[in-house]
Amino acid sequence: MNEDLHALQRRLAEFAAARDWQQYHTPKNLAAALSVEASELVEIFQWLTPEESAKVMSDPGTAGRVEDEVADVLAYLLQFCEVLGIDVLAALAAKIERNETRFPAGPGRTGQGG
């Protein structure tokens, strides 16, 4: 999967370069775009009950919207990481390790890490 992720990053970079968009792909702009796309994903779920949200992929129209927003979020995240030289998979692995230490599993342990 790592090679696939890097291939997608390269493809996104080539797409932007072919359109001379690198000038707009600053960390600030990409972080803002990432936030906007994440908000568009949240908007789909905004007024759904937990039960409705769990079934969102059963409606083809809504499923397509969810997939498009997920793709937009990932695209901007990958571009953000490319610009700053962040290995997204290494960063995620390190974060999981820190969370495993901060939030050990066991009886009576609840809550979300982040």
Side-chain angles (χ1 to χ4, degrees):
M1 177 170 160
N2 194 4
E3 292 177 277
D4 292 337
L5 197 58
H6 291 296
L8 289 171
Q9 271 185 308
R10 281 192 304 278
R11 193 168 168 194
L12 286 165
E14 290 167 4
F15 181 88
R19 289 152 183 83
D20 196 29
W21 289 352
Q22 309 98 310
Q23 61 186 317
Y24 307 110
H25 287 190
T26 65
K28 179 192 81 67
N29 287 350
L30 291 168
L34 176 58
S35 175
V36 168
E37 295 302 337
S39 295
E40 290 177 6
L41 179 61
V42 170
E43 183 180 28
I44 296 168
F45 294 88
Q46 185 172 10
W47 302 113
L48 300 181
T49 66
E51 295 78 20
E52 290 169 334
S53 71
K55 297 176 185 171
V56 74
M57 298 307 284
S58 63
D59 175 54
T62 306
R65 289 178 53 215
V66 169
E67 289 174 352
D68 281 350
E69 296 308 333
V70 166
D72 288 342
V73 167
L74 182 57
Y76 279 118
L77 179 60
L78 291 176
Q79 290 173 89
F80 179 82
C81 290
E82 177 77 17
V83 166
L84 291 178
I86 297 169
D87 181 330
V88 68
L89 295 179
L92 177 57
K95 181 66 175 186
I96 291 169
E97 287 178 25
R98 285 193 303 277
N99 282 344
E100 288 171 340
T101 300
R102 288 178 58 204
F103 306 103
R109 304 206 189 265
T110 61
Q112 288 286 333

